[in-house]
Amino acid sequence: MNKRELVEAITQRVGDKKTATEAVNAIVDAIQKAVSNGDKVSITGFGAFEMVHKPARTARNPSTGAEINVEEGWAPKFRPGSDFKELVNQGGKKVGKKK
């Protein structure tokens, strides 16, 4: 599902595409701003968004095997909540391989 499909799904619930678009954009913007400011965003039952530090390290180019120095930085991280994990696990059992 991409952003357009998410807006369509919410439109079916709220009945107005403009309202749904504004809601999706507002939620995404609020989460991005909060996390980029170092805040943790927790949505009970869904999960938590936070910023994590990535220390400098040495990596290898998989094509050439040459060492590359990767600078330190920051990255967003999402940890799913227990309700979300359980729902995904149930869905995986439905579409998983049958033995």
Side-chain angles (χ1 to χ4, degrees), residues 1-42:
M1 176 180 279
N2 60 30
K3 189 174 180 180
R4 187 184 76 240
E5 293 166 338
L6 179 60
V7 168
E8 289 299 322
I10 294 174
T11 298
Q12 293 173 6
R13 211 135 162 205
V14 298
D16 178 21
K17 187 171 184 172
K18 183 178 179 185
T19 303
T21 302
E22 289 175 7
V24 169
N25 288 337
I27 290 168
V28 169
D29 187 51
I31 291 171
Q32 287 177 336
K33 283 182 181 176
V35 172
S36 68
N37 287 329
D39 296 329
K40 181 177 177 180
V41 178
S42 295

Side-chain angles (χ1 to χ4, degrees), residues 25-71:
N25 288 337
I27 290 168
V28 169
D29 187 51
I31 291 171
Q32 287 177 336
K33 283 182 181 176
V35 172
S36 68
N37 287 329
D39 296 329
K40 181 177 177 180
V41 178
S42 295
I43 303 170
T44 304
F46 181 70
F49 298 88
E50 61 187 319
M51 182 169 57
V52 295
H53 180 257
K54 302 280 189 167
R57 62 186 174 89
T58 302
R60 290 206 177 271
N61 180 332
S63 300
T64 64
E67 287 189 354
I68 328 172
N69 291 323
V70 180
E71 294 182 14

Side-chain angles (χ1 to χ4, degrees), residues 61-96:
N61 180 332
S63 300
T64 64
E67 287 189 354
I68 328 172
N69 291 323
V70 180
E71 294 182 14
E72 73 173 337
W74 295 89
K77 178 180 178 182
F78 174 73
R79 280 193 344 256
S82 58
D83 293 348
F84 189 18
K85 286 182 193 177
E86 185 178 323
L87 186 63
V88 169
N89 189 36
Q90 290 171 359
K93 289 178 184 175
K94 292 177 187 171
V95 296

